[in-house]
Amino acid sequence: RTWKTEKQKLLRTLVPGEEIEELEVLRHRFDGLNSELEGNKQRVDNANVLADDLRESEIIDPGIINETQAQLNTDWNELNTLIEDKKKQIDSAYRYNQFLTDVDETCNWIQEKQTLIESTDSLGNDLDGVMQLQRRLGSLE
């Protein structure tokens, strides 16, 4: 139970931030926690097998075994649910921040191209002006 409580506290502290770099660090920490959880899945599986064996041996009260096993599986499932929820939250925050970055870069690109186009207004209609216009607008492609 102490391990579960410790991991639940850790998960509650993993709050997505505003910056993409913070989210990448958070994802890394979360991946480490997720790996640790996967490593402990075998322990839960072993405990369930042992509970089944103990029930069959009829040496220990099956009610105690059932209660303990049920609590273990409830705790494990709650922890897994918390991890899945936090993963979704972190992934959503990361995608949102990536979206904001992409939008910002695209808006900057549009502004640059608008400035370039607007700068052609002062070019003349003579051959020199048309050639300058072609060079400037050639960079839009």
Side-chain angles (χ1 to χ4, degrees):
R1 284 189 186 254
T2 304
W3 182 83
K4 177 196 164 217
T5 304
E6 177 186 313
K7 297 311 166 193
Q8 284 176 324
K9 286 179 184 177
L10 177 62
L11 282 168
R12 287 187 181 99
T13 64
L14 297 178
V15 178
E18 298 283 327
E19 300 296 322
I20 199 88
E21 293 82 14
E22 291 176 24
L23 288 167
E24 288 173 353
V25 169
L26 195 59
R27 279 177 127 184
H28 179 71
R29 286 181 63 198
F30 184 80
D31 288 344
L33 176 62
N34 207 24
S35 294
E36 185 179 352
L37 185 74
E38 285 298 316
N40 279 294
K41 183 179 181 336
Q42 186 63 43
R43 293 175 67 189
V44 173
D45 292 342
N46 289 342
N48 281 316
V49 168
L50 184 57
D52 293 341
D53 291 346
L54 287 171
R55 247 190 315 278
E56 289 176 13
S57 74
E58 298 179 6
I59 297 172
I60 299 173
D61 179 15
I64 294 171
I65 295 169
N66 291 341
E67 184 179 321
T68 305
Q69 184 180 23
Q71 186 62 54
L72 170 68
N73 289 321
T74 298
D75 289 349
W76 182 252
N77 291 333
E78 286 174 1
L79 187 59
N80 276 305
T81 299
L82 185 59
I83 284 176
E84 284 302 312
D85 291 346
K86 188 59 72 169
K87 181 175 180 7
K88 288 176 187 173
Q89 185 182 17
I90 292 169
D91 287 345
S92 291
Y94 187 84
R95 284 193 321 270
Y96 176 69
N97 278 283
Q98 190 63 51
F99 164 75
L100 292 177
T101 300
D102 291 348
V103 166
D104 190 45
E105 289 173 0
T106 302
C107 286
N108 287 337
W109 178 85
I110 290 170
Q111 183 62 42
E112 288 175 15
K113 299 314 170 194
Q114 282 178 330
T115 302
L116 178 66
I117 291 170
E118 290 168 359
S119 73
T120 64
D121 290 345
S122 63
L123 298 176
N125 289 330
D126 59 357
L127 180 59
D128 186 45
V130 171
M131 290 178 68
Q132 285 183 29
L133 179 62
Q134 275 186 312
R135 279 193 301 272
R136 288 185 187 179
L137 295 180
S139 67
L140 286 176
E141 297 173 13

